[in-house]
Amino acid sequence: MTLLTETRQRDLPPRTAPTAPRTTRSAVPPLAPGAVPGLGHAAALLRDPLGFLGSLSRHGGVVRIRLGPRTVCVVTDAPLVHTLLVALAYDCPRGAVQDTLKTAFGDGLLMSEGQAHRDRRRIIQPAFGPDRMAEYVAVMHQVTEERARRWHPGQVLDVAKEMNHLALEIVTRSLFDARLSEDATLAFHQALPDLVKGQIVQSLYPHPALARLPLAVNRRFDAAVRVLNQVVDQAVRPTGTRSAERGGTLPALLRAATDPGTGRPLTEADVRSEAITMFGAGTETVSTTLTWLLDELLRHPEVEARVLAELDEHLPAGAAPTPEALARLTYTRSVTQEVVRLHAPNAFLMRTAQVPVDLGPYRIPAGTELLYSLTALHRDPDRYPDPLRFRPERWQSGGAGRHSFLPFGAGKHKCIGEAFAWAELTVAAAAILRRWRPVAVPGARAREVVWTTVQAHGLRVRLTPRGARVPRPDSPPDDRVGEGRAGDDRAREDRARDDRAAVEAPPAARCPVSVPAPAPAAPQLPQRSGELRTAAARHAAWVVGRNLLTPPEMTRYGAYALHELIGHAFPRAHGADLDLLVDMLGWFTILDDRFDGPPGRRPVEARDVVDPLIDVLYRTGADRTGASAPVGAGPAPRSGDHVLRAWHDLWSRQAQGMSPNWRARAAREWQACLETFPAEAEHRAHGTVPALGLPETMRLRRHGSCLYPFMNILERVHGADAPAALHAEPALHRLRANTADAATLINDLYSLEREERQSAAAFNTVLALQRIRGCTRSRAVGAVRSRVARLRRENDALRSDLRHRHPAGRWYLDGTRELIEGVQAWTSTSDRYLVTDSPRT
């Protein structure tokens, strides 16, 4: 039996009911459904640990599960976990999983409890004091630079393996002033999997005596413990130059200390025990996090670009990092926090109630084992809206609070090396990214493998020296608009091909975009022209009846033919759904036009318009963080402008009959869309539009296009949510982002001439490219056209893969293709972007 399970990220369903009645202090935690006779929930836990643990929150803040003959209580609510770790720390010491490691780690800081733990922590704490951090940071930087210098251009790197070696070397050099032999380093990393797997299996034994049987898993565990001890013996030998300087290493500090309980010096066994703890706790989790960090930067090149820009500003190339310089890297810290949240290394940890305790409304009997998963807690959609989405910006407003973010634990057992770990993540990433541009090898991205930790396996990158490709001022701009600096061989081939295909002639008012012809699978527009004309008439009556426009204004507005866009983009929408889509698009167009006026340049006015609209989304008790799923729009506003009242009607129609998951997702994505209006107004008011880079421009354009909300309507038209497993796919997140980007870029091409002539600063990608790259208009247009074509090619590949693995969601995947084709077909014919004093072409 093994808990070595590869999993895919999945959406965790929001809590649909209170964790338990608050009036009863002796409530028994509910039993999770799905127990199998004899095995209980062990099969579900072994098959998909994160999915199973994440699903339990819907049943309560504490939920009972059965693992064979044993009953374990899983704590799913973050504040209750905090209570368990802080208020109940002395009543609930470490549990069975951690107890297994006493064979390897002894009775040191990691395993001790009570007074023994407090005494040992006081001894070790000076090694992690603020006065030591400058020295540690310097060593971290030196070690990473030395390792990165050994790499060479074109080398394919096994990232997880390389980060394991790097983290081990940093711990060895920083805390022990020692150098391990290459054989010892390899032996250490080869032993860790057997140590962790043995830890899990032995913790599930119904009786401790089974750990002494000559089973293969037990033999491998014992061998791993011996290897770990041999490696530590090599590291703790007092041979370094710092060992004699004011107790400069951790072993020297321990050897100079006395045990408060006995008054005697610590023994060599004590020194080895603490050393093993630092090796075990300080390498695997940090190296895994570094691997996920590089993987997320590959997936989000706009984030990488911002990190590099911040490093250029606060940590110039060639400068040695200091704790003060690291403190100024606020965005980089947000990135590392988001990596640690999304990829919390501890899949599960355990405590044991030694006496009866209360956890919220639940009474926990003495002897009960309590399990909690930091990974599941940090992916709770009630605490972190859109939890599987990598969003560093959520930390720039404070995150979800200290009781909901517990990567290093809490209370008396909180990780003593927290500051060391944060510094190591930042210093190592900065040194690597300054020297190298990693490019993902196709088909070799990181995947989750769950033991007691959530590891990153499979990421391989090809190394390109940073700055190896620096375009000349007169060279064509990179067609990978919004993708920062990352690239691969295929992307370079795409760039060369697209550059050859770029047309130098400047576009007219109706800029031609070269895209593949629409697939014939969906009904064609002429076959439903009568239905669409009827929908257009109903929409016109709705607009006038809602006082959004006056009858004279309807002449120009009607020329936009918004109903034709809906007809092309949603060929399967009929009746009320068709009316809803046309009304939504019309309302958003009218709202967007409002921001061409004063609100678009005055942030306060923009906020006054947007905030009431967002409030409608959460009027049923959910707050703006998405703490609970909105049910509908609530009572109509008694006052407010016509746009607000019309929006109340639209949101009620969208949400009616849809699932809580759908409503929560739709509310978050509408909020993200609406928030772009005051963000753009801020930039215009402060004159910062010219300073915006491509990543920020694309972020604003992507969410401001309202494509995400319209993709959600695909599910309303179909009559059911897309499969949850499909929504959990990172590939679908990429597909949706590509769809929004492609539609946005098509819009930017066709609206270019109109936006060039407006007085207010325009958020247009073509204009941004001209401004940032200093290139000609025609080259900027060529780059954007190339990017649209590349996004469509990438989406075709993503759809093909997702259709194969999720055939039940084929209709949703086809809908994203039809949406882009509809945008293309409509923008090429609509008068929406026509400049009246320019000839039609």
Side-chain angles (χ1 to χ4, degrees):
M1 182 184 295
T2 178
L3 197 58
L4 177 58
T5 306
E6 293 183 11
T7 67
R8 299 188 180 276
Q9 292 180 336
R10 60 189 64 244
D11 244 330
L12 304 181
R15 237 169 249 131
T16 57
T19 56
R22 295 292 179 185
T23 57
T24 306
R25 292 292 299 176
S26 58
V28 176
L31 178 68
V36 176
L39 293 176
H41 300 91
L45 180 63
L46 294 169
R47 182 173 58 249
D48 182 7
L50 300 185
F52 174 70
L53 293 173
S55 71
L56 297 178
S57 62
R58 74 181 77 173
H59 304 296
V62 181
V63 181
R64 287 179 294 135
I65 63 172
R66 292 192 176 127
L67 302 178
R70 297 157 57 189
T71 296
V72 176
C73 284
V74 181
V75 188
T76 70
D77 181 69
L80 292 185
V81 171
H82 190 270
T83 297
L84 174 66
L85 300 181
V86 179
L88 301 178
Y90 294 99
D91 293 331
C92 300
R94 292 183 173 92
V97 173
Q98 287 92 321
D99 286 346
T100 306
L101 288 182
K102 283 189 176 181
T103 305
F105 293 120
D107 290 319
L109 185 67
L110 188 64
M111 293 291 106
S112 59
E113 293 287 350
Q115 187 62 45
H117 177 269
R118 288 195 295 274
D119 291 343
R120 190 60 58 87
R121 191 177 182 98
R122 289 192 189 102
I123 293 171
I124 296 174
Q125 187 66 57
F128 294 95
D131 59 318
R132 295 290 180 91
M133 286 309 299
E135 182 181 3
Y136 291 155
V137 166
V139 176
M140 293 169 186
H141 178 68
Q142 180 181 357
V143 169
T144 310
E145 283 286 330
E146 289 173 2
R147 193 157 200 94
R149 278 198 295 268
R150 295 200 291 268
W151 303 337
H152 56 81
Q155 179 180 351
V156 174
L157 215 62
D158 182 330
V159 177
K161 179 180 178 181
E162 197 67 22
M163 294 305 103
N164 276 333
H165 285 264
L166 175 63
L168 179 61
E169 192 172 358
I170 286 175
V171 168
T172 306
R173 297 262 295 272
S174 299
L175 297 180
F176 298 91
D177 191 24
R179 292 177 184 264
L180 295 177
S181 68
E182 190 64 22
D183 288 344
T185 300
L186 290 173
F188 178 85
H189 292 302
Q190 290 170 356
L192 275 181
D194 289 333
L195 183 77
V196 175
K197 283 185 277 188
Q199 171 198 9
I200 297 167
V201 173
Q202 291 185 11
S203 70
L204 295 175
Y205 287 156
H207 194 280
L210 293 176
R212 295 192 292 273
L213 295 179
L215 303 175
V217 65
N218 293 341
R219 292 198 305 272
R220 287 194 294 267
F221 177 80
D222 293 340
V225 171
R226 288 194 296 272
V227 168
L228 190 59
N229 278 289
Q230 291 166 5
V231 172
V232 168
D233 283 342
Q234 185 179 134
V236 299
R237 293 169 190 157
T239 58
T241 58
R242 285 166 42 217
S243 58
E245 300 174 7
R246 58 181 182 81
T249 66
L250 180 61
L253 181 74
L254 293 168
R255 290 183 177 108
T258 57
D259 186 335
T262 64
R264 299 172 182 167
L266 268 60
T267 66
E268 282 301 304
D270 293 327
V271 174
R272 292 177 66 262
S273 177
E274 300 305 342
I276 291 175
T277 296
M278 296 306 159
F279 274 110
T283 55
E284 184 187 20
T285 55
V286 172
S287 65
T288 298
T289 304
L290 276 171
T291 304
W292 283 121
L293 173 59
L294 292 178
D295 185 72
E296 291 295 351
L297 292 180
L298 287 170
R299 297 176 189 273
H300 301 87
E302 71 281 3
V303 175
E304 181 195 39
R306 286 189 64 181
V307 168
L308 287 166
E310 187 174 66
L311 292 174
D312 288 341
E313 180 180 359
H314 298 297
L315 194 60
T322 64
E324 294 74 23
L326 298 184
R328 293 192 291 270
L329 303 176
T330 56
Y331 181 73
T332 304
R333 177 60 178 261
S334 296
V335 171
T336 56
Q337 285 179 296
E338 181 67 350
V339 171
V340 170
R341 179 200 69 81
L342 183 56
H343 304 290
N346 295 112
F348 57 88
L349 296 164
M350 296 185 75
R351 296 288 186 268
T352 301
Q354 289 188 327
V355 297
V357 296
D358 290 327
L359 266 178
Y362 304 109
R363 186 66 171 175
I364 308 299
T368 301
E369 291 179 292
L370 295 152
L371 181 149
Y372 61 96
S373 168
L374 293 183
T375 311
L377 292 176
H378 291 171
R379 294 180 182 178
D380 184 349
D382 288 353
R383 303 280 170 183
Y384 297 97
D386 205 0
L388 297 183
R389 185 176 167 203
F390 183 72
R391 291 179 52 225
E393 60 270 19
R394 73 173 86 230
W395 296 100
Q396 295 176 301
S397 57
R402 64 187 182 92
H403 289 183
S404 299
F405 185 56
L406 305 167
F408 295 93
K412 71 187 184 75
H413 285 296
K414 186 174 184 180
C415 177
I416 198 170
E418 178 179 5
F420 185 98
W422 285 122
E424 183 177 357
L425 290 173
T426 305
V427 171
I432 292 169
L433 293 173
R434 280 200 175 284
R435 182 177 292 271
W436 296 104
R437 179 188 296 126
V439 178
V441 174
R445 304 307 296 264
R447 67 184 186 275
E448 289 181 339
V449 175
V450 183
W451 296 334
T452 51
T453 56
V454 183
Q455 301 197 354
H457 281 201
L459 178 62
R460 292 188 299 129
V461 300
R462 191 180 304 278
L463 297 174
T464 301
R466 181 68 63 184
R469 182 180 183 272
V470 181
R472 301 188 310 274
D474 60 343
S475 65
D478 192 339
D479 63 43
R480 301 182 75 216
V481 177
E483 291 205 12
R485 310 183 187 201
D488 54 24
D489 294 339
R490 184 166 61 90
R492 285 193 291 274
E493 294 171 4
D494 286 343
R495 278 197 292 271
R497 182 172 56 252
D498 294 336
D499 285 344
R500 289 193 297 270
V503 179
E504 286 293 321
R510 296 181 184 276
C511 169
V513 182
S514 300
V515 292
Q524 299 302 301
L525 189 57
Q527 297 175 321
R528 56 192 309 226
S529 57
E531 180 185 28
L532 291 173
R533 284 196 299 271
T534 302
R538 287 195 295 265
H539 173 64
W542 183 81
V543 169
V544 174
R546 289 283 176 179
N547 295 311
L548 296 173
L549 295 174
T550 64
E553 292 171 320
M554 289 298 296
T555 301
R556 181 184 177 190
Y557 175 77
Y560 297 166
L562 299 178
H563 62 287
E564 293 184 4
L565 169 54
I566 297 303
H568 284 296
F570 294 88
R572 294 168 183 78
H574 303 281
D577 289 334
L578 180 61
D579 288 342
L580 170 63
L581 284 161
V582 177
D583 290 348
M584 279 174 56
L585 181 59
W587 175 86
F588 187 79
T589 301
I590 293 166
L591 176 70
D592 186 62
D593 286 347
R594 173 182 286 198
F595 284 91
D596 289 341
R601 298 183 295 275
R602 301 170 184 170
V604 175
E605 287 187 28
R607 181 56 66 186
D608 287 344
V609 173
V610 166
D611 278 352
L613 301 175
I614 295 175
D615 288 341
V616 169
L617 299 169
Y618 301 105
R619 193 161 287 169
T620 58
D623 61 32
R624 286 192 177 192
T625 66
S628 62
V631 175
R638 296 182 180 179
S639 60
D641 66 18
H642 303 302
V643 170
L644 175 61
R645 294 178 67 83
W647 171 238
H648 176 275
D649 170 60
L650 286 173
W651 176 241
S652 297
R653 289 157 62 188
Q654 290 174 69
Q656 184 177 12
M658 300 304 289
S659 71
N661 275 352
W662 186 96
R663 291 193 295 266
R665 175 172 15 101
R668 291 194 299 268
E669 292 178 354
W670 266 119
Q671 179 179 348
C673 171
L674 295 170
E675 291 280 7
T676 62
F677 288 114
E680 291 179 355
E682 287 278 356
H683 285 300
R684 292 191 185 101
H686 295 96
T688 54
V689 176
L692 281 182
L694 282 177
E696 179 64 11
T697 300
M698 280 304 300
R699 187 189 68 79
L700 288 170
R701 300 293 293 118
R702 176 185 299 150
H703 292 288
S705 67
C706 81
L707 261 293
Y708 279 104
F710 272 90
M711 280 186 276
N712 289 328
I713 300 296
L714 288 169
E715 293 166 288
R716 180 171 192 88
V717 171
H718 183 73
D721 288 10
L726 176 61
H727 268 302
E729 284 278 7
L732 183 70
H733 300 176
R734 179 69 173 174
L735 176 69
R736 280 163 51 91
N738 286 354
T739 301
D741 284 354
T744 297
L745 295 173
I746 291 171
N747 174 85
D748 286 356
L749 288 165
Y750 283 96
S751 64
L752 175 60
E753 187 166 338
R754 189 183 76 165
E755 292 179 336
E756 284 176 324
R757 300 186 180 200
Q758 70 184 37
S759 58
F763 289 83
N764 183 294
T765 316
V766 178
L767 298 178
L769 272 172
Q770 289 181 258
R771 183 175 66 244
I772 295 165
R773 303 285 175 82
C775 60
T776 65
R777 182 182 195 262
S778 60
R779 286 187 180 275
V781 168
V784 173
R785 289 170 52 198
S786 298
R787 175 64 177 151
V788 172
R790 203 175 79 80
L791 285 170
R792 292 175 67 110
R793 290 196 299 272
E794 183 177 340
N795 272 8
D796 287 343
L798 289 169
R799 285 192 199 94
S800 176
D801 174 60
L802 289 169
R803 283 194 197 105
H804 177 71
R805 291 187 288 111
H806 302 280
R810 182 188 182 98
W811 57 270
Y812 185 89
L813 301 170
D814 289 343
T816 62
R817 173 181 51 77
E818 292 162 354
L819 187 55
I820 292 297
E821 292 167 355
V823 169
Q824 170 61 35
W826 175 78
T827 49
S828 63
T829 58
S830 172
D831 285 349
R832 166 71 173 164
Y833 305 113
L834 187 64
V835 179
T836 56
D837 61 351
S838 297
R840 291 194 177 198
T841 59

